[in-house]
Amino acid sequence: TDDWREIVNKKLHFPPELILAIQEGNAAWVDGLLSLGDGIIRQLDESEDRLWREALNLSIRLGREDIMSSLLLGVKFDFRQIHEALLVAVDTNQPLVVKQLLDRLDQEKGNKMDVRSFSMAIFDHSIDDSQFAPGVTPLTLACQKDLYEIVMMLTQRGHDIPLPHAISCTCLECRNARQYDLLKFSLSRINTYRGIASRAYLSITSEDAMLSAFHLSRELRKLSNKEPEFKPQYLALEQLCQEFAVELLGMCRNQSEVSTILNSAEEDSEDELDEQTFEEGIPNLARLRLAVNYNQKQFVTHPICQQVLSSIWCGNLSGWRGSRTTWKLLVSLGIFITMPVLCLVYWIAPKSKLGKMLKIPVIKFLLHSASYMWFLITLLSESIFMEIYRTDFASRKQNLLHNSLHMIWVVGFFWFECKEVWIEGLKSYFLDLWNIVDMMVLSMYLASFTLRVLIMLRGLFLCEDPSTPELCDYFTNSIRENWKQEDPQLIAEILFAVTSLLSFTRLAYILPAHESLGTLQISMGRMIDDMMRFMFILMIIGTAFLCGINNIYVPYVVSPHLGRLNETFNFLFWTMFGMANQEYVDMPDFILAEFVGRIFYGIFTLLIVIVLLNMLIAMISNSFQRIEDDADVEWKFARSKLYLSYFREGLTMPVPFNIIPTPKAMFYALRSIFQKICCCCNKKGPEYPPITSVSGNMLNGGKGQGEGRASYRLQVTNALVHRYIEAARREFEESKRKDVGNRITELNKAVGRVHAEMQDFHQKLQWQHKSEPDQANILGKYILGAKNNFRDFNKNEPVKCENTGLQISMQPKEEDLEKEADIQAGGDVSEEREEEPGFESPTETLPEEEMTFETVSTCDESETNSTDYRVTA
């Protein structure tokens, strides 16, 4: 008993010959070194932990499953060592080995295996010498390599990739990880996101892989700004998610699947844009609008999405897309001229043929554009009237009718924006920057008109009161020179000027409808963004020199242009454009102050004129070039946003005709009230045909056709994922078959098999008796067997390149062919062999045969590299 305890408790030391035995693939030698005969599983010495790990990992990398089984059978490996072995098995893509190691873990831990321990491996010092990065688990590694079979196996065993905590998380786990090793913690976080953002993980673990890719892409973009140290890594993963969603969309095979993916007809959908209603016959395109809000440019600009948008945009006007630009301009001009008549027809008969045509998005766009052009013409007319009646507008006697006609459009625009907020929702409304600009412009229009009305009412009421004759005279008869700086009429005129400017600028909203104009509009927007950032730097430098130069000239009253803050600012501002007088800095009576002032002014000129302005030009050029390099994507994305804004239900009547209540609006209001009272507004979802491209068990999760049947959208999503996985597997096999390293490995294995067969044959020859007839018969049988084995490798029927990448052909000599024929005929060739030159005895040499091994890099015979091996036993 004591001896038995001593054997069990004794630590097994690492045998130095074990690595050599594993490299040679000698399983018997390995069993002898491990002493597997007694059936005892021995503990390991912790000081030799790395050696045992390398031995186990080497057996896995060499594909010696028998040796790996021997190591697992005779040595007790702990969780950490099995974890690293799993990583090696996943890295070398060996599903059978992964399954065997997982079974070993199940035996040790039982059915309740703590798979979360894989992610806590960063606290283990023993992984510092490992080739794998901290935080890499078998599942994350398999996901990064897109090994779908292994990912499926691990997820079925309960493995999961927990979503990392927020960057600012202060929980106990995050605090301990940061204090233990901050670098390991950050690398573990990055590697975790690499696994989550992989195509394999999104395809297998997500119920809606496309929606998960959208959300993850948005989250990674936010993380790139919150953690700028790893911004390139996060942006690369974000790009990977976008590409996955695009590839998944490309798996669609018919229009029904495309419509199901881009629309969300589920009542319990989580998409926040599903509640928006579109025109009759136009789908809501909730998934597409979500992609626009998440800035998924590659998805939105995909040909499938663009085809759907273009077909909806043109409606039943099939000839619009292929028509000439001249014809489109003539149609636009006709709509511009006849806009009041068209609006009257729609107001009277919205269900007529002409009324339905006006609801087509492209016609609605032209109708609203024509209305806005009339609004701009009205502004120009008012400016001309202000110039004609300049004396009246310069005094208190101006007439509101001369410059208030535009307020009819302003009221229409205000009602239009209110309806848009009601339809889209407040959050979705403010996501578009153009809507914010519209609200600002309308607010200033209303403020300007209100101030002018206030002046008229103030003068009217004050003149009725005899106790305020001065105020009555100020608001009715005073000239402009006597007005106060905060006079309401001055503020109203300034606001009107600003709004007129912004109103003409707002015309850029419709430019993305044309490719060339849309690209220029996007480039100009990016340039303005660069200018805003540049202005911040310019403000810092300008303020610094403004204070410095002004403080030099403040004590001196000699210079009339410097020494006051506003004068100094004007001087420095116009210096940037070369329009300032350089003599302003001269003070001949004060040499020291003049010298310092000239130095400051010279440095300011160098920084502003030479450095900053050239930097601004370079920034603008860079932005323009970036847009031009990706002009197609940028323009299509901007055009898609414009198209979607005209797909909504309602808003057909242009401004200012929309402020007139229509009979249709009254009917819809009464119908909605009646439906709410009677509760008869239940809508049935559309019936879709079943998906036949994927088995029903996969789509329905193994459930019946009743309530457990998956929704049609989930069926389509599962079908797309299934097709994508199959395509990825085929692509992986193709790349593996073309890989030079794999072909060389196959060649080495083939050469090794031939070498082993020759050694075995040599041993058999030594064990046989010395009788020549028997030797001749044995030799003849071996030659016949060898030729039969290589019969498939004849030069007329080469081995296909996609199987092993190895082509073997036999080129025997003519005399060997004759001898083979004699052997097959049953003749005795021993005497003839003795007479051949160079043949001394049957056990010494064999007839030479030329065996040619050709490593084929491609299936083209012109690109083969051949190596001749002459094998002699």
Side-chain angles (χ1 to χ4, degrees):
T1 306
D2 296 336
D3 296 339
W4 179 259
R5 285 202 189 100
E6 182 179 357
I7 293 174
V8 172
N9 296 328
K10 185 177 180 181
K11 300 282 181 138
L12 178 62
H13 291 282
F14 184 81
E17 300 87 357
L18 183 60
I19 297 295
L20 181 60
I22 295 175
Q23 291 177 348
E24 293 185 358
N26 196 333
W29 192 6
V30 172
D31 295 343
L33 294 174
L34 298 177
S35 302
L36 295 179
D38 51 15
I40 300 174
I41 301 178
R42 291 171 171 80
Q43 300 286 340
L44 303 179
D45 193 351
E46 294 183 358
S47 61
E48 299 173 342
D49 175 71
R50 175 47 58 185
L51 295 176
W52 285 106
R53 291 194 188 201
E54 292 298 333
L56 181 60
N57 296 342
L58 181 62
S59 64
I60 296 174
R61 287 194 178 279
L62 296 178
R64 311 292 185 182
E65 296 184 15
D66 52 347
I67 297 178
M68 183 198 69
S69 301
S70 300
L71 288 171
L72 296 176
L73 183 63
V75 181
K76 184 174 179 57
F77 291 101
D78 60 7
F79 179 85
R80 300 171 303 170
Q81 295 158 344
I82 298 295
H83 170 236
E84 189 171 346
L86 265 174
L87 291 176
V88 175
V90 172
D91 187 44
T92 54
N93 190 17
Q94 302 184 52
L96 297 179
V97 176
V98 172
K99 184 178 182 302
Q100 189 173 356
L101 292 173
L102 291 176
D103 293 338
R104 175 61 180 269
L105 286 178
D106 290 339
Q107 294 176 2
E108 292 186 0
K109 293 182 174 293
N111 295 328
K112 297 181 179 179
M113 184 179 64
D114 186 14
V115 297
R116 190 174 180 273
S117 302
F118 286 115
S119 61
M120 302 302 294
I122 61 173
F123 297 103
D124 183 14
H125 276 296
S126 61
I127 69 170
D128 293 343
D129 297 331
S130 176
Q131 63 174 332
F132 302 102
V136 175
T137 65
L139 182 56
T140 57
L141 184 61
C143 291
Q144 292 175 21
K145 291 180 171 291
D146 290 331
L147 305 177
Y148 292 90
E149 184 177 357
I150 297 179
V151 172
M152 186 78 71
M153 184 188 307
L154 292 172
T155 52
Q156 291 176 354
R157 295 292 186 103
H159 291 246
D160 192 13
I161 304 179
L163 191 66
H165 296 184
I167 295 177
S168 58
C169 180
T170 58
C171 66
L172 180 62
E173 180 182 349
C174 294
R175 289 202 308 267
N176 292 338
R178 291 192 187 97
Q179 293 176 1
Y180 179 78
D181 195 321
L182 182 59
L183 180 59
K184 278 187 178 181
F185 176 73
S186 299
L187 293 178
S188 174
R189 184 183 186 86
I190 290 294
N191 290 321
T192 302
Y193 272 111
R194 284 174 179 166
I196 296 175
S198 65
R199 294 174 168 87
Y201 189 79
L202 291 173
S203 301
I204 294 175
T205 62
S206 300
E207 182 177 316
D208 193 337
M210 187 178 293
L211 185 61
S212 301
F214 284 172
H215 292 314
L216 185 59
S217 173
R218 189 183 192 186
E219 181 181 356
L220 290 170
R221 193 182 304 115
K222 292 180 179 179
L223 287 173
S224 65
N225 297 324
K226 294 180 180 179
E227 200 170 3
E229 298 85 1
F230 300 98
K231 185 174 183 178
Q233 288 80 1
Y234 282 122
L235 291 180
L237 295 177
E238 189 262 343
Q239 183 70 18
L240 189 66
C241 292
Q242 289 199 26
E243 293 176 356
F244 171 71
V246 172
E247 293 170 357
L248 208 59
L249 179 64
M251 293 291 112
C252 294
R253 295 179 179 176
N254 52 57
Q255 192 64 33
S256 176
E257 295 180 358
V258 172
S259 301
T260 305
I261 289 298
L262 297 183
N263 301 313
S264 181
E266 302 295 329
E267 296 180 359
D268 56 348
S269 176
E270 296 181 358
D271 293 347
E272 56 187 17
L273 301 174
D274 284 347
E275 300 299 328
Q276 299 182 17
T277 55
F278 277 37
E279 289 287 357
E280 183 179 357
I282 297 180
N284 61 0
L285 301 176
R287 184 61 54 84
L288 184 57
R289 286 180 287 133
L290 185 67
V292 171
N293 291 338
Y294 284 3
N295 204 33
Q296 303 288 316
K297 294 185 178 180
Q298 295 185 11
F299 183 88
V300 176
T301 58
H302 193 275
I304 292 178
C305 295
Q306 292 298 308
Q307 185 184 40
V308 171
L309 289 174
S310 299
S311 61
I312 298 175
W313 177 254
C314 297
N316 55 6
L317 301 177
S318 57
W320 177 264
R321 294 181 60 184
S323 60
R324 296 179 178 271
T325 306
T326 307
W327 170 251
K328 293 181 180 179
L329 291 176
L330 290 176
V331 173
S332 303
L333 181 61
I335 293 176
F336 174 77
I337 296 173
T338 61
M339 185 191 69
V341 179
L342 296 176
C343 293
L344 180 62
V345 173
Y346 183 81
W347 190 87
I348 297 174
K351 296 295 184 179
S352 62
K353 186 175 181 180
L354 182 59
K356 291 181 179 180
M357 183 178 295
L358 294 179
K359 296 176 68 174
I360 298 175
V362 62
I363 303 299
K364 186 191 297 185
F365 166 74
L366 295 176
L367 202 61
H368 283 260
S369 300
S371 172
Y372 198 81
M373 293 299 298
W374 280 112
F375 171 65
L376 297 181
I377 292 174
T378 303
L379 289 178
L380 287 174
S381 302
E382 291 180 356
S383 299
I384 295 173
F385 273 107
M386 290 174 62
E387 185 178 354
I388 296 174
Y389 301 98
R390 178 177 299 179
T391 56
D392 294 338
F393 281 97
S395 63
R396 298 291 191 184
K397 298 179 180 180
Q398 56 177 318
N399 191 351
L400 286 179
L401 296 178
H402 291 168
N403 62 342
S404 300
L405 185 61
H406 68 276
M407 289 305 300
I408 301 177
W409 272 269
V410 171
V411 174
F413 285 132
F414 183 78
W415 179 242
F416 183 88
E417 297 298 326
C418 291
K419 292 182 66 176
E420 197 169 8
V421 171
W422 177 263
I423 293 173
E424 292 188 3
L426 193 62
K427 181 180 178 181
S428 179
Y429 176 81
F430 283 107
L431 289 176
D432 192 354
L433 295 179
W434 285 111
N435 292 332
I436 299 176
V437 174
D438 292 338
M439 293 299 295
M440 293 174 56
V441 172
L442 292 177
S443 300
M444 286 189 287
Y445 270 123
L446 294 176
S448 174
F449 182 76
T450 304
L451 288 175
R452 285 186 291 163
V453 174
L454 182 62
I455 292 173
M456 295 181 61
L457 295 177
R458 186 75 180 273
L460 181 62
F461 291 141
L462 289 175
C463 290
E464 292 180 357
D465 189 0
S467 61
T468 57
E470 296 180 357
L471 292 177
C472 177
D473 184 69
Y474 178 80
F475 283 102
T476 55
N477 298 320
S478 61
I479 60 176
R480 185 174 291 267
E481 287 77 7
N482 297 330
W483 292 354
K484 298 178 182 179
Q485 296 298 324
E486 64 277 7
D487 189 271
Q489 186 169 346
L490 294 177
I491 298 175
E493 292 171 356
I494 293 173
L495 290 175
F496 181 72
V498 174
T499 51
S500 300
L501 171 66
L502 294 177
S503 297
F504 279 90
T505 306
R506 183 64 172 82
L507 193 62
Y509 175 74
I510 65 175
L511 294 182
H514 191 270
E515 183 174 2
S516 301
L517 298 178
T519 305
L520 292 177
Q521 186 253 347
I522 297 170
S523 301
M524 185 173 294
R526 294 292 178 85
M527 293 176 188
I528 293 175
D529 182 62
D530 291 340
M531 288 183 62
M532 296 299 293
R533 289 182 292 168
F534 172 79
M535 291 300 295
F536 182 76
I537 300 175
L538 183 63
M539 181 182 65
I540 295 176
I541 298 177
T543 305
F545 281 95
L546 175 64
C547 294
I549 295 177
N550 189 70
N551 291 337
I552 292 176
Y553 290 91
V554 163
Y556 307 97
V557 294
V558 179
S559 177
H561 302 285
L562 299 176
R564 288 184 295 272
L565 200 62
N566 56 343
E567 296 292 340
T568 306
F569 175 78
N570 292 332
F571 171 69
L572 296 179
F573 178 79
W574 293 112
T575 299
M576 292 189 298
F577 304 99
M579 301 175 62
N581 192 353
Q582 302 177 1
E583 297 179 356
Y584 289 170
V585 297
D586 295 340
M587 287 191 303
D589 298 335
F590 306 96
I591 300 177
L592 181 60
E594 180 187 13
F595 177 73
V596 177
R598 287 182 174 180
I599 291 178
F600 280 9
Y601 182 71
I603 296 175
F604 175 79
T605 305
L606 289 175
L607 286 177
I608 298 297
V609 178
I610 298 179
V611 179
L612 291 182
L613 291 182
N614 286 282
M615 184 180 72
L616 176 62
I617 295 173
M619 291 173 59
I620 292 176
S621 301
N622 186 28
S623 298
F624 182 79
Q625 189 61 41
R626 287 202 309 267
I627 297 298
E628 286 296 323
D629 293 341
D630 206 11
D632 186 67
V633 173
E634 295 290 342
W635 168 66
K636 287 182 179 178
F637 185 74
R639 188 185 65 171
S640 301
K641 293 194 292 186
L642 177 65
Y643 282 1
L644 289 172
S645 64
Y646 284 93
F647 290 172
R648 294 179 297 240
E649 182 182 7
L651 305 177
T652 305
M653 290 286 284
V655 178
F657 300 97
N658 61 334
I659 59 179
I660 305 174
T662 60
K664 185 186 72 171
M666 297 179 183
F667 171 75
Y668 285 166
L670 294 175
R671 187 182 66 177
S672 61
I673 295 174
F674 180 76
Q675 288 178 349
K676 289 181 179 180
I677 295 175
C678 299
C679 300
C680 58
C681 57
N682 295 327
K683 296 181 180 180
K684 295 183 178 180
E687 295 293 336
Y688 296 102
I691 300 295
T692 57
S693 57
V694 185
S695 63
N697 293 332
M698 178 178 294
L699 295 176
N700 303 328
K703 300 180 182 180
Q705 296 293 329
E707 296 180 356
R709 186 176 183 270
S711 64
Y712 183 74
R713 187 180 64 173
L714 294 181
Q715 292 183 53
V716 174
T717 303
N718 292 335
L720 298 183
V721 170
H722 178 74
R723 295 169 194 164
Y724 179 80
I725 292 177
E726 292 299 325
R729 285 177 177 172
R730 290 194 298 268
E731 183 180 357
F732 178 78
E733 294 296 333
E734 185 69 21
S735 62
K736 181 180 178 182
R737 189 163 55 245
K738 293 181 179 180
D739 187 19
V740 178
N742 292 327
R743 306 184 76 119
I744 294 176
T745 302
E746 295 292 337
L747 178 61
N748 291 334
K749 290 181 180 180
V751 174
R753 287 195 300 267
V754 173
H755 180 68
E757 290 179 1
M758 297 305 296
Q759 285 185 342
D760 185 47
F761 173 67
H762 184 68
Q763 292 177 359
K764 287 182 180 180
L765 289 181
Q766 291 180 349
W767 292 342
Q768 296 296 331
H769 296 288
K770 301 296 183 179
S771 59
E772 295 180 358
D774 295 338
Q775 295 296 327
N777 293 331
I778 293 173
L779 181 62
K781 291 178 180 180
Y782 174 76
I783 294 175
L784 181 61
K787 290 183 177 294
N788 291 332
N789 290 335
F790 288 101
R791 189 177 303 277
D792 294 336
F793 296 93
N794 197 326
K795 61 183 179 179
N796 296 327
E797 298 180 358
V799 178
K800 296 182 180 179
C801 59
E802 61 268 21
N803 292 331
T804 61
L806 181 68
Q807 182 174 346
I808 304 176
S809 61
M810 298 290 297
Q811 299 178 0
K813 298 179 180 179
E814 297 179 358
E815 54 269 21
D816 294 336
L817 296 176
E818 297 176 358
K819 294 166 187 171
E820 180 183 355
D822 295 338
I823 292 173
Q824 293 177 355
D828 190 0
V829 296
S830 59
E831 297 179 357
E832 296 178 1
R833 291 185 179 276
E834 291 181 357
E835 297 176 358
E836 292 178 0
F839 186 85
E840 297 179 358
S841 66
T843 61
E844 292 181 0
T845 60
L846 298 175
E848 295 184 354
E849 293 184 0
E850 296 181 0
M851 300 172 61
T852 303
F853 296 85
E854 295 183 1
T855 304
V856 186
S857 59
T858 62
C859 295
D860 191 359
E861 295 181 359
S862 63
E863 296 181 7
T864 58
N865 298 324
S866 61
T867 304
D868 295 336
Y869 294 87
R870 185 180 298 276
V871 183
T872 304

